[in-house]
Amino acid sequence: AQKITQTQPGMFVQEKEAVTLDCTYDTSDPSYGLFWYKQPSSGEMIFLIYQGSYDQQNATEGRYSLNFQKARKSANLVISASQLGDSAMYFCAMREIQGAQKLVFGQGTRLTINP
Amino acid sequence: DGGITQSPKYLFRKEGQNVTLSCEQNLNHDAMYWYRQDPGQGLRLIYYSQIVNDFQKGDIAEGYSVSREKKESFPLTVTSAQKNPTAFYLCASIISTGAMNTEAFFGQGTRLTVV
């Protein structure tokens, strides 16, 4: 069954440090996409980065990179040089391409950046 | 500008009433999704639709109903059968049911409160 697991309910990081947010997934579909979203206190969902299951290289978008380890079924988000504005909830999500094509989310990680 | 619009932003419902949340997109996206989010929690899938006149139940469909009569519209009705409807509701859309490299776009959300 399609499932996303985020095991870190909360994380506290000093400003300017790098941070890794964990995400593992489960699927039997060989074709799938993995997403990371940021949700500030306003509630809006901000798209950060995408990784396709057939992509050979890890995705990067500015300070965000996705550490994709297919054999381990993990898709960790790495934020380099964290900023105070990075404080928010972060969600990992997956969408199967061939199966039910649901877009399912993990429980999220609340990231707090300390000055 | 293309986007996805949810209305209203805030909604108050008396117990026993049905209410309908609007979700409209002008992105020409095929797939649309409804999620429920409780405070500090992740997004749980209520219903999703990949094509006009067709939709599937998500993980928490009981007490909710949807329709997809037009490609751009996917309204959600919260019925009186939903025992605890107070929550934040998010609508999302994605461009194509078969596409790999895609971003899911979100509306700004509707905050529903039962009074």
Side-chain angles (χ1 to χ4, degrees), chain A residues 35 37 39 50 95 100-101 103, chain B residues 33 35 37 97 100 102 104:
Chain A
F35 307 76
Y37 282 84
Q39 187 183 43
Y50 171 90
R95 178 170 174 262
Q101 299 184 25
L103 176 61
Chain B
Y33 304 82
Y35 297 91
Q37 186 179 29
T97 56
M100 284 285 286
T102 55

Side-chain angles (χ1 to χ4, degrees), chain B residues 51-109:
Chain B
I51 195 170
V52 174
N53 293 323
D54 188 37
F55 47 83
Q56 291 76 40
K57 292 182 179 180
D59 301 318
I60 56 164
E62 186 175 351
Y64 300 97
S65 66
V66 293
S67 63
R68 187 86 187 275
E69 297 177 0
K70 298 184 295 183
K71 189 175 184 178
E72 58 270 23
S73 179
F74 191 41
L76 173 74
T77 296
V78 184
T79 75
S80 56
Q82 171 49 237
K83 300 301 181 191
N84 184 20
T86 295
F88 187 54
Y89 291 86
L90 283 160
C91 179
S93 70
I94 202 161
I95 186 166
S96 169
T97 56
M100 284 285 286
N101 190 9
T102 55
E103 170 189 345
F105 289 78
F106 280 83
Q108 295 297 303

